[in-house]
Amino acid sequence: MNLSLEFGENVFSDSVQKEMLPKEVYRALRDTIESGKKLDVGIAGAVAAAMKDWAVSKGATHYTHWFQPLTGLTAEKHDSFIEKDDGDEIIMRLTGKSLIVGEPDASSFPSAGSRATYMARGYTAWDPTSPAFVKDATLYIPTVFVSYTGETLDKKSPLLRSMNAMDRQAKRILKLFGIECSKVATTVGPEQEYFLITEEEFNKRKDLVLTGRTLFGAPASRGQELEDQYFGVLKQRVIDYMRDLDETLWSYGIHSKTRHNEVAPAQHEVAPIYSTSNVAVDHNMLTMELMKKVAARHGLACLLHEKPFEGINGSGKHNNWGIKTDTGVNMFKTGDNPKENGLFLLSLTAVLKAVDDYQGILRASVASAGNDHRLGANEAPPAIISVYLGDELGEMVESIVQGRNYVPSEPQRGSIGVPESPIFPKDATDRNRTSPFAFTGNKFEFRMMGSSANVADPNIVLNTIVADTFAKFADELEKAPDFDKALHSLCEREIKAHHRIIFNMDGYNAEWEREAEKRGLLNNKNTADAVKVCFEDENIDVFVRQGVYTKSEAVARAMVQLENYAKTINIEALTMLQMAKQDIMPAVSDYIANLCQNVECKKAVNERLACKGETETIEKLSALNDELYDAVKKLEADLNPIDMDDAEGSSQAMAHVIVPDMEKVREVADRMETMVSADFWPFSSTYDLLYSVK
């Protein structure tokens, strides 16, 4: 691959636009993309015609408005370019109207009752700030999705609104420091973890196919305890997949940068360079789709579930979030002395206040049935929101809280102690992988996201709560007679008020949970409890104030999240019951019968032949099979009366009754797996799955 020539070859990129559009049309479109100016609808026809010609030259026959409904996935409806002319001939056409707006059926997508199922009309509207692309002979046009009555039905619309809120309020802050710009944008670089197993082994497991994770499976005798997989040598089949994936991503203009083995066996990571938030979200959704498609080309299955296997780490997605102007100003750049950098100090203070005040909705933004298995499990940050600042910034903040002078440390130079090794500049602080929200130099890394999640969710919250805090700060500082004095007073007051959210130590330590409780920090360990805070007035009002959601939209999204959680657990429970009753218990009974037959045969030959092993195994497995029967019976009895139309009630029942029931069923079954012959056990083992890629 010639990267310089083929990068972005499938994208209607800036260079393609410049080549194919009339100058005035190109300039008007770039003004919308780069400066946020209102789209000139009059140019839509010219853009559509050029976009169609380019797509057809790439082999496209159809176009689709590509959107992100509340399913958490993407959606698309394909229409061909074909239209009839006055005679019998056909022409290929994409009109300006077809580019700008589409009309998919809106009745069958999740809306939590905000959209009646008998009312179908919905609209998709072009997002010109995210580039169109060609995939599988179809032109994909990134869009937002709204109902006939105006409610947002997707994740892109509120993300764009939150970015606009940040643009408005950050400009007010920047103006106080004499900094003018046309646009302020939030940026995101999502690191993506995943597992690779063979497609053959994947298809043998009903639970993997239906739920994305193994509902049963005793741990393999070797997991991650030797700590030798992380950054380890890549298997040839894996490197072939990664090479193919990189080249595929590059062709769609996705800046795939980093690839490596992760901590667990069969676990890997791919990470891009950061992009503007809405483009980063589109790219990540496309990346997850392409990861699975490329895997299939190599006879592999790519698992994006947060916890596909018990006993080893699950997969997350680190959200690297920053704020920058179109003139290159980074609002989180510390400078040589962070305390003397007023813009940075105010921006940091805003983040601390926002994350503390709205820790509940920030936690809820990453809540899901899959992610509940990771958070707090010593493989991911705890479910408690806190901010890590590191040694230098932490010392600066402490000096403000304690009212003492802060003396910045001198930059240090590091060496590994070998004369031939170069001297290198040391970072101001170490990294804390246990922190949910860590300052990592010019940006913050939100580490709580699950692997399969839509990146839009936490970024909507981050953009909104920080923008709202900027607005409050600007209201106070804009009318201050002495700006410098008011700035110092505000930062000191708010840092002291929100000091509790800062935690620079080990988030895995059990003592932190007790300390967090003393500080009054939330610790919502499951989705049902985490999402409850989204119905509180103060957590709704922040979205309303910044024009991101209406009250009904905020409530509807929380309800959709609870519905999705309850339905996911319900599917898992039903799958588990089916596997236990139809596969595991009969297999164990067959194995017990086989052992009994062996004992009978031995006794028939000689009454004195030893049968202790078979007899004890028969006794233990018989008792465990009865224990499994009782656990299955309880799960079934607890599951049946749950009203799935009651989102709040069903989610609470799933979290506090059904999930513990399922854990009991699995615990008994996994014990039996270690005692039953592999010839009788009905499923591929964890070893078969994790070590299937040779």
Side-chain angles (χ1 to χ4, degrees):
M1 180 180 189
N2 187 329
L3 186 54
S4 61
L5 293 178
E6 298 179 40
F7 183 84
E9 64 177 342
N10 294 320
V11 182
F12 191 65
S13 60
D14 177 43
S15 59
V16 176
Q17 294 166 18
K18 190 172 186 178
E19 177 185 345
M20 299 192 68
L21 294 173
K23 286 184 179 179
E24 64 278 8
V25 173
Y26 170 75
R27 192 63 263 160
L29 180 59
R30 296 314 300 177
D31 284 344
T32 295
I33 295 170
E34 295 170 2
S35 303
K37 291 185 179 179
K38 187 175 179 63
L39 178 68
D40 180 0
V41 179
I43 72 170
V47 175
M51 197 179 285
K52 182 269 299 179
D53 289 344
W54 171 79
V56 170
S57 74
K58 305 291 291 183
T61 56
H62 289 69
Y63 68 94
T64 181
H65 277 196
W66 186 60
F67 58 101
Q68 299 169 25
L70 301 184
T71 57
L73 304 173
T74 58
E76 54 198 61
K77 181 187 76 170
H78 295 216
D79 288 297
S80 72
F81 292 123
I82 291 177
E83 291 190 11
K84 290 178 64 176
D85 66 4
D86 295 333
D88 294 329
E89 300 297 320
I90 62 168
I91 56 175
M92 303 284 275
R93 175 185 294 163
L94 177 65
T95 66
K97 181 181 178 181
S98 296
L99 170 63
I100 290 176
V101 64
E103 189 184 334
D105 187 326
S107 65
S108 299
F109 291 104
S111 68
S114 67
R115 183 72 178 143
T117 55
Y118 67 88
M119 300 296 285
R121 196 180 295 277
Y123 299 105
T124 49
W126 177 34
D127 171 17
T129 64
S130 185
F133 56 92
V134 168
K135 179 172 69 71
D136 300 329
T138 298
L139 171 65
Y140 281 71
I141 303 168
T143 61
V144 300
F145 181 40
V146 298
S147 74
Y148 177 77
T149 50
E151 296 97 344
T152 60
L153 296 174
D154 69 337
K155 303 200 178 210
K156 171 71 80 70
S157 303
L159 177 65
L160 292 172
R161 291 177 181 177
S162 74
M163 293 170 66
N164 287 334
M166 177 63 77
D167 178 59
R168 291 194 310 272
Q169 306 304 344
K171 281 178 181 174
R172 295 175 64 193
I173 295 295
L174 290 162
K175 189 174 181 180
L176 292 168
F177 292 90
I179 300 172
E180 297 289 340
C181 62
S182 298
K183 188 175 183 180
V184 178
T186 54
T187 59
V188 175
E191 303 168 24
Q192 178 75 55
E193 295 175 347
Y194 62 98
F195 281 84
L196 283 180
I197 64 174
T198 63
E199 197 169 36
E200 179 184 7
E201 292 296 338
F202 172 82
N203 288 326
K204 290 178 183 178
R205 293 287 305 225
K206 188 183 305 181
D207 47 2
L208 275 177
V209 172
L210 294 179
T211 74
R213 75 182 183 101
T214 53
L215 300 174
F216 298 101
S221 56
R222 175 173 175 169
Q224 62 192 54
E225 59 273 20
L226 293 179
E227 301 178 331
D228 57 344
Q229 268 102 202
Y230 192 49
F231 286 10
V233 176
L234 296 166
K235 295 177 181 176
Q236 188 59 50
R237 197 168 176 185
V238 172
I239 195 66
D240 290 343
Y241 164 79
M242 288 180 167
R243 184 185 300 113
D244 192 357
L245 177 62
D246 274 342
E247 292 180 358
T248 303
L249 294 176
W250 291 335
S251 74
Y252 289 100
I254 299 172
H255 296 81
S256 179
K257 176 73 172 177
T258 303
R259 62 191 189 193
H260 61 81
N261 282 346
E262 259 296 336
V263 173
Q267 188 185 32
H268 315 283
E269 181 179 294
V270 58
I273 301 172
Y274 69 86
S275 302
T276 305
S277 293
N278 65 312
V279 175
V281 169
D282 285 355
H283 280 179
N284 187 250
M285 296 304 291
L286 181 56
T287 294
M288 289 191 288
E289 177 191 334
L290 293 173
M291 288 168 73
K292 289 178 175 289
K293 285 191 173 184
V294 172
R297 291 205 292 257
H298 293 260
L300 302 172
C302 175
L303 307 182
L304 294 175
H305 193 282
E306 284 73 21
K307 191 73 171 181
F309 306 102
E310 280 292 305
I312 59 172
N313 281 8
S315 295
K317 184 147 48 188
H318 299 167
N319 188 85
N320 294 282
W321 176 79
I323 309 174
K324 297 183 74 171
T325 72
D326 60 342
T327 56
V329 175
N330 186 326
M331 296 184 73
F332 295 137
K333 186 174 182 179
T334 58
D336 294 334
N337 187 340
K339 194 171 183 180
E340 293 178 357
N341 182 346
L343 177 59
F344 168 76
L345 186 58
L346 187 63
S347 301
L348 174 65
T349 304
V351 169
L352 294 176
K353 176 176 171 59
V355 172
D356 188 18
D357 284 345
Y358 298 105
Q359 56 186 279
I361 53 175
L362 190 56
R363 161 68 180 96
S365 73
V366 297
S368 68
N371 215 21
D372 284 356
H373 294 286
R374 293 178 59 250
L375 298 181
N378 284 2
E379 62 182 73
I384 306 162
I385 294 285
S386 65
V387 178
Y388 170 78
L389 296 180
D391 299 337
E392 185 172 348
L393 283 185
E395 175 61 24
M396 182 201 74
V397 167
E398 286 300 317
S399 72
I400 293 173
V401 172
Q402 296 174 17
R404 55 180 170 80
N405 289 331
Y406 167 69
V407 179
S409 59
E410 292 293 326
Q412 297 184 36
R413 293 162 69 80
S415 170
I416 62 172
V418 177
E420 294 82 4
S421 173
I423 303 296
F424 56 90
K426 287 180 67 175
D427 291 313
T429 187
D430 206 345
R431 295 181 65 188
N432 187 334
R433 63 185 296 270
T434 72
S435 174
F437 198 76
F439 183 74
T440 54
N442 297 341
K443 59 182 172 56
F444 283 89
E445 183 180 32
F446 188 33
R447 298 173 56 88
M448 294 180 77
M449 282 191 72
S451 175
S452 65
N454 187 316
V455 186
D457 292 318
N459 287 291
I460 292 168
V461 174
L462 280 171
N463 293 346
T464 303
I465 62 177
V466 174
D468 193 67
T469 307
F470 278 161
K472 292 173 182 175
F473 286 2
D475 287 343
E476 180 175 339
L477 294 173
E478 284 169 349
K479 60 187 178 185
D482 186 333
F483 172 72
D484 290 335
K485 185 176 180 180
L487 174 64
H488 179 270
S489 176
L490 184 153
C491 290
E492 182 177 10
R493 181 191 75 223
E494 296 297 339
I495 286 175
K496 287 180 178 179
H498 299 285
H499 184 244
R500 67 172 184 169
I501 202 69
I502 300 170
F503 182 66
N504 290 328
M505 304 303 288
D506 183 4
Y508 292 167
N509 193 315
E511 183 58 36
W512 167 229
E513 193 166 331
R514 293 187 286 272
E515 170 63 22
E517 186 176 3
K518 291 178 185 176
R519 296 187 185 190
L521 301 179
L522 298 175
N523 186 10
N524 293 319
K525 296 185 178 181
N526 61 67
T527 298
D529 293 341
V531 176
K532 282 196 300 185
V533 304
C534 297
F535 298 103
E536 297 171 3
D537 287 343
E538 63 180 323
N539 291 328
I540 294 173
D541 290 346
V542 66
F543 293 110
V544 175
R545 277 196 302 272
Q546 295 305 319
V548 175
Y549 295 134
T550 63
K551 181 175 182 178
S552 61
E553 286 173 337
V555 170
R557 281 160 193 273
M559 293 297 287
V560 166
Q561 196 172 3
L562 290 180
E563 287 176 356
N564 180 271
Y565 171 77
K567 289 174 181 177
T568 298
I569 301 299
N570 189 54
I571 291 169
E572 289 185 353
L574 292 173
T575 304
M576 174 173 270
L577 288 170
Q578 186 182 56
M579 294 173 72
K581 291 194 295 184
Q582 295 182 359
D583 299 306
I584 295 177
M585 286 192 288
V588 173
S589 294
D590 287 346
Y591 184 57
I592 291 172
N594 181 264
L595 291 176
C596 290
Q597 187 177 11
N598 288 347
V599 171
E600 282 187 24
C601 291
K602 282 186 175 183
K603 295 299 183 184
V605 173
N606 188 332
E607 280 288 338
R608 290 174 298 186
L609 286 177
C611 300
K612 182 178 179 181
E614 291 93 333
T615 302
E616 288 189 0
T617 302
I618 290 168
E619 291 173 353
K620 290 177 181 177
L621 281 176
S622 297
L624 285 171
N625 221 17
D626 281 353
E627 190 177 344
L628 180 61
Y629 173 80
D630 291 339
V632 165
K633 190 175 179 182
K634 183 178 187 308
L635 172 58
E636 202 163 28
D638 289 339
L639 191 64
N640 285 335
I642 294 176
D643 180 7
M644 295 301 293
D645 291 328
D646 175 9
E648 294 181 79
S650 62
S651 64
Q652 285 293 317
M654 292 296 177
H656 298 288
V657 178
I658 300 305
V659 168
D661 283 354
M662 292 174 65
E663 289 172 350
K664 178 60 178 177
V665 171
R666 176 170 193 155
E667 183 269 326
V668 178
D670 287 357
R671 270 195 286 158
M672 290 198 296
E673 182 185 355
T674 64
M675 301 173 63
V676 173
S677 167
D679 293 334
F680 282 80
W681 195 253
F683 312 120
S684 299
S685 69
T686 302
Y687 165 81
D688 294 330
L689 296 167
L690 287 177
Y691 296 97
S692 60
V693 181
K694 306 300 183 184

PDB file of all heavy atoms in Angstrom, residues 380-396:
ATOM      1  N   ALA A 380     -10.266  -2.390  35.584  1.00  0.00           N
ATOM      2  CA  ALA A 380     -10.762  -1.125  35.035  1.00  0.00           C
ATOM      3  C   ALA A 380     -10.913  -0.181  36.212  1.00  0.00           C
ATOM      4  O   ALA A 380     -10.838  -0.601  37.366  1.00  0.00           O
ATOM      5  CB  ALA A 380     -12.105  -1.345  34.345  1.00  0.00           C
ATOM      6  N   PRO A 381     -11.118   1.096  35.954  1.00  0.00           N
ATOM      7  CA  PRO A 381     -11.331   2.011  37.074  1.00  0.00           C
ATOM      8  C   PRO A 381     -12.527   1.579  37.908  1.00  0.00           C
ATOM      9  O   PRO A 381     -13.415   0.873  37.431  1.00  0.00           O
ATOM     10  CB  PRO A 381     -11.605   3.350  36.384  1.00  0.00           C
ATOM     11  CG  PRO A 381     -10.996   3.229  35.039  1.00  0.00           C
ATOM     12  CD  PRO A 381     -11.158   1.790  34.664  1.00  0.00           C
ATOM     13  N   PRO A 382     -12.588   1.993  39.168  1.00  0.00           N
ATOM     14  CA  PRO A 382     -13.763   1.689  39.993  1.00  0.00           C
ATOM     15  C   PRO A 382     -14.981   2.439  39.480  1.00  0.00           C
ATOM     16  O   PRO A 382     -14.874   3.324  38.629  1.00  0.00           O
ATOM     17  CB  PRO A 382     -13.348   2.174  41.386  1.00  0.00           C
ATOM     18  CG  PRO A 382     -12.308   3.206  41.142  1.00  0.00           C
ATOM     19  CD  PRO A 382     -11.578   2.765  39.904  1.00  0.00           C
ATOM     20  N   ALA A 383     -16.150   2.089  40.007  1.00  0.00           N
ATOM     21  CA  ALA A 383     -17.382   2.757  39.601  1.00  0.00           C
ATOM     22  C   ALA A 383     -17.504   4.145  40.219  1.00  0.00           C
ATOM     23  O   ALA A 383     -18.465   4.856  39.944  1.00  0.00           O
ATOM     24  CB  ALA A 383     -18.587   1.899  39.982  1.00  0.00           C
ATOM     25  N   ILE A 384     -16.549   4.515  41.049  1.00  0.00           N
ATOM     26  CA  ILE A 384     -16.532   5.826  41.699  1.00  0.00           C
ATOM     27  C   ILE A 384     -15.791   6.811  40.802  1.00  0.00           C
ATOM     28  O   ILE A 384     -14.654   6.574  40.407  1.00  0.00           O
ATOM     29  CB  ILE A 384     -15.809   5.746  43.059  1.00  0.00           C
ATOM     30  CG1 ILE A 384     -16.419   4.655  43.939  1.00  0.00           C
ATOM     31  CG2 ILE A 384     -15.845   7.093  43.775  1.00  0.00           C
ATOM     32  CD1 ILE A 384     -15.513   4.223  45.071  1.00  0.00           C
ATOM     33  N   ILE A 385     -16.443   7.940  40.494  1.00  0.00           N
ATOM     34  CA  ILE A 385     -15.788   8.971  39.683  1.00  0.00           C
ATOM     35  C   ILE A 385     -14.810   9.753  40.551  1.00  0.00           C
ATOM     36  O   ILE A 385     -15.137  10.203  41.645  1.00  0.00           O
ATOM     37  CB  ILE A 385     -16.821   9.948  39.092  1.00  0.00           C
ATOM     38  CG1 ILE A 385     -17.733   9.228  38.090  1.00  0.00           C
ATOM     39  CG2 ILE A 385     -16.139  11.141  38.437  1.00  0.00           C
ATOM     40  CD1 ILE A 385     -17.096   8.926  36.764  1.00  0.00           C
ATOM     41  N   SER A 386     -13.583   9.907  40.050  1.00  0.00           N
ATOM     42  CA  SER A 386     -12.591  10.775  40.689  1.00  0.00           C
ATOM     43  C   SER A 386     -11.667  11.300  39.602  1.00  0.00           C
ATOM     44  O   SER A 386     -11.649  10.782  38.483  1.00  0.00           O
ATOM     45  CB  SER A 386     -11.787  10.027  41.760  1.00  0.00           C
ATOM     46  OG  SER A 386     -11.000   9.002  41.182  1.00  0.00           O
ATOM     47  N   VAL A 387     -10.893  12.333  39.937  1.00  0.00           N
ATOM     48  CA  VAL A 387      -9.975  12.962  38.984  1.00  0.00           C
ATOM     49  C   VAL A 387      -8.547  12.781  39.478  1.00  0.00           C
ATOM     50  O   VAL A 387      -8.243  13.049  40.643  1.00  0.00           O
ATOM     51  CB  VAL A 387     -10.281  14.460  38.815  1.00  0.00           C
ATOM     52  CG1 VAL A 387      -9.290  15.107  37.851  1.00  0.00           C
ATOM     53  CG2 VAL A 387     -11.710  14.672  38.325  1.00  0.00           C
ATOM     54  N   TYR A 388      -7.692  12.327  38.583  1.00  0.00           N
ATOM     55  CA  TYR A 388      -6.255  12.188  38.883  1.00  0.00           C
ATOM     56  C   TYR A 388      -5.511  13.341  38.212  1.00  0.00           C
ATOM     57  O   TYR A 388      -5.648  13.574  37.009  1.00  0.00           O
ATOM     58  CB  TYR A 388      -5.743  10.849  38.348  1.00  0.00           C
ATOM     59  CG  TYR A 388      -4.236  10.693  38.385  1.00  0.00           C
ATOM     60  CD1 TYR A 388      -3.583  10.394  39.574  1.00  0.00           C
ATOM     61  CD2 TYR A 388      -3.464  10.834  37.227  1.00  0.00           C
ATOM     62  CE1 TYR A 388      -2.202  10.243  39.604  1.00  0.00           C
ATOM     63  CE2 TYR A 388      -2.095  10.690  37.255  1.00  0.00           C
ATOM     64  CZ  TYR A 388      -1.462  10.390  38.451  1.00  0.00           C
ATOM     65  OH  TYR A 388      -0.096  10.244  38.487  1.00  0.00           O
ATOM     66  N   LEU A 389      -4.721  14.069  39.002  1.00  0.00           N
ATOM     67  CA  LEU A 389      -3.966  15.198  38.468  1.00  0.00           C
ATOM     68  C   LEU A 389      -2.474  14.934  38.383  1.00  0.00           C
ATOM     69  O   LEU A 389      -1.757  15.647  37.676  1.00  0.00           O
ATOM     70  CB  LEU A 389      -4.202  16.442  39.336  1.00  0.00           C
ATOM     71  CG  LEU A 389      -5.633  16.969  39.373  1.00  0.00           C
ATOM     72  CD1 LEU A 389      -5.716  18.201  40.275  1.00  0.00           C
ATOM     73  CD2 LEU A 389      -6.137  17.305  37.978  1.00  0.00           C
ATOM     74  N   GLY A 390      -1.977  13.960  39.103  1.00  0.00           N
ATOM     75  CA  GLY A 390      -0.548  13.690  39.107  1.00  0.00           C
ATOM     76  C   GLY A 390       0.180  14.520  40.144  1.00  0.00           C
ATOM     77  O   GLY A 390      -0.409  15.346  40.854  1.00  0.00           O
ATOM     78  N   ASP A 391       1.472  14.316  40.239  1.00  0.00           N
ATOM     79  CA  ASP A 391       2.271  14.923  41.307  1.00  0.00           C
ATOM     80  C   ASP A 391       2.318  16.447  41.207  1.00  0.00           C
ATOM     81  O   ASP A 391       2.038  17.155  42.170  1.00  0.00           O
ATOM     82  CB  ASP A 391       3.693  14.356  41.286  1.00  0.00           C
ATOM     83  CG  ASP A 391       3.716  12.859  41.522  1.00  0.00           C
ATOM     84  OD1 ASP A 391       2.752  12.349  42.124  1.00  0.00           O
ATOM     85  OD2 ASP A 391       4.684  12.210  41.094  1.00  0.00           O
ATOM     86  N   GLU A 392       2.681  16.956  40.029  1.00  0.00           N
ATOM     87  CA  GLU A 392       2.914  18.396  39.909  1.00  0.00           C
ATOM     88  C   GLU A 392       1.615  19.187  40.043  1.00  0.00           C
ATOM     89  O   GLU A 392       1.525  20.121  40.851  1.00  0.00           O
ATOM     90  CB  GLU A 392       3.591  18.719  38.572  1.00  0.00           C
ATOM     91  CG  GLU A 392       3.973  20.196  38.466  1.00  0.00           C
ATOM     92  CD  GLU A 392       4.823  20.490  37.237  1.00  0.00           C
ATOM     93  OE1 GLU A 392       5.303  19.532  36.595  1.00  0.00           O
ATOM     94  OE2 GLU A 392       5.009  21.672  36.939  1.00  0.00           O
ATOM     95  N   LEU A 393       0.588  18.812  39.265  1.00  0.00           N
ATOM     96  CA  LEU A 393      -0.682  19.518  39.377  1.00  0.00           C
ATOM     97  C   LEU A 393      -1.327  19.284  40.732  1.00  0.00           C
ATOM     98  O   LEU A 393      -1.954  20.183  41.301  1.00  0.00           O
ATOM     99  CB  LEU A 393      -1.637  19.069  38.271  1.00  0.00           C
ATOM    100  CG  LEU A 393      -1.406  19.632  36.878  1.00  0.00           C
ATOM    101  CD1 LEU A 393      -2.514  19.179  35.945  1.00  0.00           C
ATOM    102  CD2 LEU A 393      -1.342  21.145  36.915  1.00  0.00           C
ATOM    103  N   GLY A 394      -1.171  18.066  41.241  1.00  0.00           N
ATOM    104  CA  GLY A 394      -1.716  17.783  42.568  1.00  0.00           C
ATOM    105  C   GLY A 394      -1.097  18.669  43.631  1.00  0.00           C
ATOM    106  O   GLY A 394      -1.795  19.183  44.516  1.00  0.00           O
ATOM    107  N   GLU A 395       0.205  18.892  43.539  1.00  0.00           N
ATOM    108  CA  GLU A 395       0.894  19.766  44.491  1.00  0.00           C
ATOM    109  C   GLU A 395       0.426  21.206  44.330  1.00  0.00           C
ATOM    110  O   GLU A 395       0.235  21.927  45.319  1.00  0.00           O
ATOM    111  CB  GLU A 395       2.404  19.668  44.264  1.00  0.00           C
ATOM    112  CG  GLU A 395       3.246  20.625  45.104  1.00  0.00           C
ATOM    113  CD  GLU A 395       3.096  20.410  46.601  1.00  0.00           C
ATOM    114  OE1 GLU A 395       2.726  19.291  47.015  1.00  0.00           O
ATOM    115  OE2 GLU A 395       3.347  21.375  47.370  1.00  0.00           O
ATOM    116  N   MET A 396       0.203  21.638  43.091  1.00  0.00           N
ATOM    117  CA  MET A 396      -0.286  22.991  42.864  1.00  0.00           C
ATOM    118  C   MET A 396      -1.667  23.182  43.490  1.00  0.00           C
ATOM    119  O   MET A 396      -1.951  24.183  44.161  1.00  0.00           O
ATOM    120  CB  MET A 396      -0.364  23.278  41.370  1.00  0.00           C
ATOM    121  CG  MET A 396      -0.830  24.686  41.033  1.00  0.00           C
ATOM    122  SD  MET A 396      -1.501  24.833  39.359  1.00  0.00           S
ATOM    123  CE  MET A 396      -3.085  24.011  39.557  1.00  0.00           C
TER     124      MET A 396
END
